[in-house]
Amino acid sequence: MTEPTRLEFNDAQGRRVVRIEKEVFSIGRRSGNDLQLTGPEISRDHAQIFQRDGKRVLRDLESRYGSFVNGERVTERVLANLDRVHFGGNSPEMLYIEQGTGSVERVADLAVGDLRQVSSLLEGLRAMGSSRVLDDILALVLDSAIDVSGAERGFIMLATAEGQNIQRKLEFKLGRGRGRQLLAGTVFQTSNRIPEQVFLTGRPQIVTDMLEGDWAGAHGATIAMGIRHVLCVPLRLVHFAETHDAVPNEEGRIGVLYLDSRDKGSLSSPVTRTALETLANEAAVAIENTRLYREALDKARIEQELNIAGDMQQALLPPRQRRGAGFEAVGAMFPCRAIGGDFFDYLELADGRIGFVLCDVSGKGPSAALMTAMIQGIFRALAEDAHSPALTMTLVNRVLARRAIASRYATGFYGVLAPNGRFVSSNAGHNPPIVMRRDGAVHRLEKGGTPLGLFAKSAFEEEELTLTPGDTLLLFSDGLSEAENSNLEEFGEDRLIETIAAERHREPEALLDFLVGKARNFAGSQPQSDDITALVIRCAAV
């Protein structure tokens, strides 16, 4: 089925897709608008999108703070596929996607969404000083660019602090090939002329066929390797801090993203160019934020920034309490350090259903936190379109396995509750959640598959049961069940079950706090060694 013309974006409600099917589509703060936006910079009737000569046109309705297309304030503008649109100064950036958009645009949009999730968390991690984080971000950018474009290989060059303004030297940072293949700089042979010219001018450069025109004489070594088609775009920083180790030039360029292929014209699609330029802009923000890590000068600054990062990570989690048709839920995440590698989320689905997800990423600290932010974004992007928990797990696992981030995987549990009490779930190598029936009977939700990100072709099973009023469901990470005391004895799942059985009369929030407090009291003076995350769901009458 052909997808309609639409706006896609991420905001406080998660990933949103708004269809544009009317002749005149209205946007503004007033509740009667087709797209209602909130905020002091949004006018009651801010803008509209209407049809003219078969094209969609954005018109600003004399709003105070303006309407923008690709960063430029406009009064009226014919929209093109993958234009970036926002209203006022603080509205989310939206992708305008025309009817019949194919998989290239969807992959690009998901890649950009990944980078935005990562970038938001990076803002609070400036003091960590880890070059490994930068390598992970560069690999994510290159792998996403190769996926979007179909290129055979690519590399990123970043500007050093040498020289002044646009004369800064470009330094090779990372090369990747199809299939997440790492390509060392010593074997990634190509001409430096194209990257240097793109960085100098700030304009993308496309070579459809290097055997045509003057290219053959100037790039003999590249042609000798069989390279026919080249696409190179600048990494342009729109907003950046004043202090970092590689200052952008006056136009905000921090480097270049280079892609090439042996196939003539394989990268020449306008859609590919637009998608890559959008990806490059988001990549520049993420890359620059990682480089800010190395600027911390003392321990006090590190502690301060870690606290900020922890606050930001908590802000990415949903509100603690959630009530809906037939249920009441409460969740919390307590990191063992300033930032953690666990998360929980509530996902609004069709037909009044709601999804509950809890994941635990391997490892701790900043790298685990980055992975957590990415997985949370992937779940939000994919869950709504998937028809079952098993399919959602399959898609999430496939995306993570393609990313192939070294030694990183996650265990997780995802369940979907319908208003009639039907609960369908899939467990990806996670601690089996506990179902405590009203009469005290206990059931464990174990069916599923392997941890996420280990094997791209893993299959996932589902388990189905019916929850009735008074039933309690506990999702938890191993930081709760494996809390240790000074004798290295674990709190254990048996104690968890005994505690729930004895205290199931408590309201969900009180029960969650009691369980966490019980585990901490058991541990005593022993420091918390792992993140503790728990989600209590109580089934109620509709």
Side-chain angles (χ1 to χ4, degrees), residues 156-393:
I156 285 176
M157 299 180 78
L158 298 180
T160 68
E162 299 177 16
Q164 295 183 351
N165 298 327
I166 58 177
Q167 282 75 39
R168 286 194 179 88
K169 180 181 178 181
L170 286 175
E171 181 181 1
F172 181 95
K173 287 296 183 182
L174 187 69
R176 303 277 279 187
R178 285 180 183 172
R180 278 60 183 166
Q181 180 185 4
L182 178 64
L183 302 177
T186 54
V187 300
F188 202 133
Q189 298 176 359
T190 189
S191 171
N192 286 333
R193 290 188 181 184
I194 293 176
E196 288 172 354
Q197 187 172 8
V198 169
F199 183 71
L200 178 68
T201 63
R203 293 192 297 270
Q205 191 163 117
I206 297 177
V207 182
T208 304
D209 190 347
M210 297 200 75
L211 293 178
E212 296 178 352
D214 298 331
W215 295 105
H219 302 278
T222 302
I223 294 172
M225 297 177 63
I227 300 301
R228 297 289 296 276
H229 195 169
V230 172
L231 172 58
C232 187
V233 296
L235 295 173
R236 195 189 315 275
L237 197 62
V238 179
H239 300 291
F240 54 91
E242 295 181 356
T243 56
H244 39 77
D245 62 332
V247 182
N249 61 23
E250 63 270 24
E251 295 186 8
R253 296 190 291 276
I254 66 169
V256 297
L257 168 62
Y258 171 100
L259 301 167
D260 64 23
S261 175
R262 293 181 175 86
D263 298 327
K264 175 183 176 182
S266 61
L267 307 175
S268 59
S269 163
V271 170
T272 299
R273 284 186 56 189
T274 304
L276 284 172
E277 289 176 15
T278 302
L279 177 65
N281 289 338
E282 294 297 333
V285 175
I287 290 169
E288 196 63 15
N289 281 333
T290 62
R291 296 166 81 169
L292 293 176
Y293 284 0
R294 296 187 293 274
E295 296 179 359
L297 299 178
D298 52 51
K299 185 176 179 180
R301 175 70 179 274
I302 294 176
E303 183 177 354
Q304 178 188 12
E305 295 295 341
L306 280 175
N307 288 335
I308 294 174
D311 291 342
M312 294 184 68
Q313 185 178 47
Q314 290 292 330
L316 290 176
L317 296 175
R320 179 180 169 97
Q321 289 183 302
R322 179 72 170 83
R323 287 185 174 87
F327 77 92
E328 178 182 355
V330 60
M333 193 272 284
F334 305 97
C336 67
R337 301 178 183 175
I339 50 178
D342 291 1
F343 80 90
F344 72 94
D345 210 347
Y346 310 121
L347 306 178
E348 298 286 349
L349 305 175
D351 305 324
R353 296 175 301 145
I354 185 166
F356 301 97
V357 58
L358 190 149
C359 282
D360 181 357
V361 173
S362 65
K364 302 177 182 66
S367 56
L370 290 171
M371 187 83 167
T372 297
M374 183 175 71
I375 295 175
Q376 186 177 6
I378 293 171
F379 260 103
R380 282 185 172 271
L382 298 178
E384 186 174 354
D385 295 332
H387 300 293
S388 67
L391 178 57
T392 301
M393 286 297 201

Side-chain angles (χ1 to χ4, degrees), residues 48 54 252 362 383 423:
Q48 60 183 207
S362 65
F423 188 74

Side-chain angles (χ1 to χ4, degrees), residues 143-155:
D143 290 343
S144 299
I146 290 171
D147 285 345
V148 168
S149 66
E152 293 183 39
R153 60 180 198 163
F155 66 74

Side-chain angles (χ1 to χ4, degrees), residues 93-143:
E93 185 176 88
M94 308 175 187
L95 273 181
Y96 170 78
I97 303 181
E98 292 181 343
Q99 182 177 0
T101 290
S103 60
V104 169
E105 295 90 337
R106 294 289 291 177
V107 172
D109 194 18
L110 180 58
V112 169
D114 287 352
L115 285 169
R116 285 178 183 152
Q117 282 277 354
V118 171
S119 182
S120 67
L121 192 59
L122 283 167
E123 287 286 355
L125 296 176
R126 297 178 184 176
M128 291 310 298
S130 169
S131 61
R132 178 60 184 166
V133 174
L134 178 60
D135 290 344
D136 286 344
I137 294 298
L138 295 179
L140 174 63
V141 171
L142 282 171
D143 290 343

Side-chain angles (χ1 to χ4, degrees), residues 430-485:
H430 195 71
N431 302 84
I434 300 167
V435 178
M436 179 68 68
R437 298 291 189 177
R438 185 175 183 179
D439 61 5
V442 176
H443 182 73
R444 311 296 299 281
L445 300 175
E446 299 179 341
K447 288 186 179 180
T450 61
L452 301 169
L454 285 180
F455 309 105
K457 296 183 179 180
S458 289
F460 292 86
E461 296 181 305
E462 287 183 344
E463 186 167 356
E464 180 178 339
L465 51 79
T466 299
L467 297 176
T468 58
D471 290 347
T472 301
L473 174 60
L474 173 68
L475 281 59
F476 61 96
S477 65
D478 55 13
L480 181 63
S481 59
E482 296 178 6
E484 292 183 342
N485 60 20

Side-chain angles (χ1 to χ4, degrees), residues 42-105:
I42 304 297
S43 300
R44 285 177 53 80
D45 296 293
H46 197 105
Q48 60 183 207
I49 298 175
F50 63 96
Q51 283 191 324
R52 184 171 66 198
D53 299 328
K55 297 288 187 178
R56 294 279 182 177
V57 181
L58 173 67
R59 174 185 292 160
D60 182 82
L61 300 179
E62 299 182 351
S63 65
R64 181 174 182 182
Y65 293 99
S67 301
F68 298 81
V69 177
N70 298 325
E72 178 185 353
R73 185 166 182 167
V74 299
T75 301
E76 190 170 294
R77 173 69 62 86
V78 176
L79 294 173
N81 192 38
L82 288 180
D83 273 348
R84 292 171 286 114
V85 180
H86 76 275
F87 305 95
N90 295 315
S91 75
E93 185 176 88
M94 308 175 187
L95 273 181
Y96 170 78
I97 303 181
E98 292 181 343
Q99 182 177 0
T101 290
S103 60
V104 169
E105 295 90 337

